[in-house]
Amino acid sequence: MEMKIRDVETIQFKTYSTVHYTRWGYQYDFFGPKYEVTSSLTRIVTEEGAEGLYLGGDKAVTDRWIKPLLVGEDPFDRERLWQWMYSLTRWRVSERIIGVIDMALWDLAGKYFKVPIHKLLGGFRDRVKAYASSGPNLGTPEVYADHAEACLKEGYKAYKIHPYIFYDPIKKRPCPDTITFPREDIEVCKAVRERVGDEMILMYDPWTVGAGGGYSLEEALWVGRELEKLNFYWFEQPLLEDRIESYITLCSGLKIPVLAPEMSGGSFFTRGEWITRRAADMIRMECGFGGITAVKKCVDLCEAYGVKCELHGGGFGHLQVLGATSPKLCEWFERGLLGPGFDYEKPRPPLKKICDPMDDEGNVLIPQKPGLGMEIDWDYIDENRINPP
Ligand SMILES: [Mg+2]
């Protein structure tokens, strides 16, 4: 059987967000009142009427670069189309856009064959352990401890701390410069460990960003040793990832596993370098670096080296990859970001349901509907559409 792609469409619509970003892209008060944003949904359709969807996309980039590449091609030739798209990263096509298109192609195939994507990849499990991933700058150590305890009561078996990021916890005000607060960050870790005891696995992520942002190597070594005393499970992205040598030094100086690189471009290729240079003990990857096709390649690469691959962030694509991998390789699903008073369980348009409902034991269920398993509220999109057909 052969099919032909007829169109690659970016549907733009108005929606809202409650997550707040500053002009640096990182936030002091992560959760706040609603504000309007423009969002998009990418739709790939074939001459035969098959359809694949994914959230996101960039109309200008898709119309200029992706559409001319894909129209007339067989949507089941995902590997060839991925290689073609990856060659466009030297122009204006980001790995993130490739990821959106790749996931829409997988969605199309899953829907056509009436199976969830993890069954196409080769199914392994129907649920995955979730960790509660805190928002940054939640408040005092006490606030973090209360939040971790609330998550434990909800069923979570693990909690990840995002500490103070571009925020001065002493003066209690935004701190956009590169000053960091390792001692205050560790006070948060101590308070959380004291509160939840050994009942939760704890992870730590100082969310290193920007040129010169985040800890110095010396600070990261100190923080890592403190985390070891508190029996934390991983130390995530503790340094700027453009300097791989400092990661090699850090890994060799610490016992706690270092999880990285989270933000480095170069898809799974870069992750291969990080493994062989021993710049990370566990590898970080996400669908934003080329979609399900790229994440699956990365997971397989990690398996060959006996290195864990922990996926960054949630979403439908990650759940499908996790449904097709062993927990020995990809152990956790990141659920969040979470904070006191923030209603994570409520779906945000255009989704009718959240991707990751959780059972009482802290497991997220892998979607079993054909394709990615998204349920789109088309009435909402029609009412808020920016570029009606
Ligand atoms: Mg992170």
Side-chain angles (χ1 to χ4, degrees):
M1 139 252 325
E2 196 180 330
M3 287 215 278
K4 270 197 173 129
I5 294 171
R6 179 170 61 79
D7 195 11
V8 184
E9 187 186 5
T10 311
I11 299 164
Q12 295 172 300
F13 55 94
K14 291 274 180 218
T15 183
Y16 66 86
S17 180
T18 53
V19 167
H20 288 250
Y21 295 89
T22 70
R23 60 191 145 154
W24 296 276
Y26 298 89
Q27 52 279 3
Y28 314 128
D29 297 309
F30 197 80
F31 307 109
K34 277 185 186 181
Y35 63 98
E36 194 179 85
V37 292
T38 299
S39 199
S40 49
L41 181 72
T42 292
R43 174 158 64 185
I44 300 176
V45 288
T46 71
E47 299 285 359
E48 299 75 11
E51 179 187 87
L53 300 167
Y54 194 60
L55 305 164
D58 181 312
K59 185 166 166 44
V61 172
T62 297
D63 288 354
R64 167 70 180 84
W65 297 99
I66 302 290
K67 199 172 156 177
L69 197 69
L70 264 58
V71 168
E73 296 302 318
D74 186 339
F76 298 146
D77 287 349
R78 284 181 304 274
E79 180 62 27
R80 186 162 50 91
L81 298 179
W82 192 92
Q83 300 291 343
W84 283 5
M85 289 192 289
Y86 197 78
S87 71
L88 290 177
T89 54
R90 70 173 59 194
W91 301 105
R92 290 199 188 153
V93 181
S94 71
E95 292 171 52
R96 206 156 282 281
I97 298 294
I98 296 172
V100 169
I101 303 294
D102 179 77
M103 283 190 274
L105 289 170
W106 277 102
D107 187 53
L108 187 151
K111 283 176 179 158
Y112 183 82
F113 294 112
K114 299 187 172 57
V115 288
I117 291 163
H118 64 277
K119 295 290 185 187
L120 290 179
L121 292 165
F124 192 101
R125 55 182 154 171
D126 65 359
R127 60 199 62 207
V128 57
K129 289 188 289 182
Y131 64 87
S133 189
S134 90
N137 307 331
L138 288 189
T140 61
E142 188 77 10
V143 172
Y144 276 92
D146 288 347
H147 185 239
E149 190 180 8
C151 290
L152 177 62
K153 284 187 181 140
E154 271 184 66
Y156 286 103
K157 301 284 190 288
Y159 185 81
K160 187 170 89 180
I161 295 166
H162 287 109
Y164 303 116
I165 291 151
F166 289 150
Y167 180 84
D168 183 333
I170 301 161
K171 293 178 182 156
K172 296 192 174 20
R173 65 182 188 203
C175 175
D177 298 318
T178 57
I179 302 162
T180 48
F181 297 89
R183 284 178 195 283
E184 286 70 22
D185 293 342
I186 286 296
E187 288 308 312
V188 171
C189 297
K190 282 182 182 165
V192 170
R193 175 55 87 202
E194 208 165 286
R195 184 71 65 84
V196 302
D198 293 331
E199 284 189 76
M200 281 186 122
I201 288 169
L202 297 178
M203 301 91 153
Y204 182 73
D205 178 7
W207 200 331
T208 303
V209 292
Y215 297 141
S216 65
L217 176 58
E218 293 72 21
E219 286 174 331
L221 281 161
W222 181 82
V223 167
R225 284 170 192 144
E226 292 299 310
L227 295 174
E228 286 167 3
K229 290 180 206 162
L230 294 167
N231 193 28
F232 271 55
Y233 180 57
W234 78 49
F235 188 12
E236 178 175 329
Q237 199 197 356
L239 296 166
L240 190 63
E241 291 174 340
D242 302 310
R243 296 188 291 233
I244 196 165
E245 286 299 330
S246 56
Y247 268 92
I248 296 168
T249 309
L250 185 70
C251 285
S252 66
L254 292 178
K255 290 193 198 84
I256 185 171
V258 170
L259 174 65
E262 177 166 304
M263 308 300 270
S264 289
S267 192
F268 67 96
F269 303 107
T270 312
R271 276 70 193 166
E273 293 292 320
W274 281 65
I275 293 171
T276 56
R277 297 190 67 191
R278 297 177 196 275
D281 302 295
M282 297 174 178
I283 290 295
R284 200 82 167 134
M285 181 60 174
E286 61 157 83
C287 282
F289 297 118
I292 289 172
T293 298
V295 172
K296 189 63 168 66
K297 284 169 189 276
C298 188
V299 165
D300 294 343
L301 173 73
C302 289
E303 185 175 20
Y305 282 93
V307 171
K308 279 198 169 174
C309 188
E310 292 295 348
L311 303 183
H312 170 223
F316 289 93
H318 289 174
L319 285 168
Q320 295 299 335
V321 175
L322 290 165
T325 52
S326 155
K328 285 186 179 173
L329 186 56
C330 302
E331 193 173 354
W332 296 96
F333 177 84
E334 181 165 16
R335 204 162 189 268
L337 300 174
L338 309 176
F342 178 69
D343 187 3
Y344 181 82
E345 311 300 324
K346 188 179 160 210
R348 261 163 296 166
L351 293 174
K352 282 185 176 172
K353 288 180 182 159
I354 58 170
C355 69
D356 53 354
M358 193 174 82
D359 68 14
D360 295 341
E361 292 169 353
N363 299 301
V364 163
L365 309 174
I366 308 289
Q368 298 299 328
K369 289 204 160 67
L372 287 163
M374 295 189 300
E375 287 185 56
I376 301 289
D377 183 347
W378 286 104
D379 290 340
Y380 182 91
I381 290 185
D382 288 343
E383 279 161 28
N384 294 281
R385 195 157 170 172
I386 294 169
N387 52 345

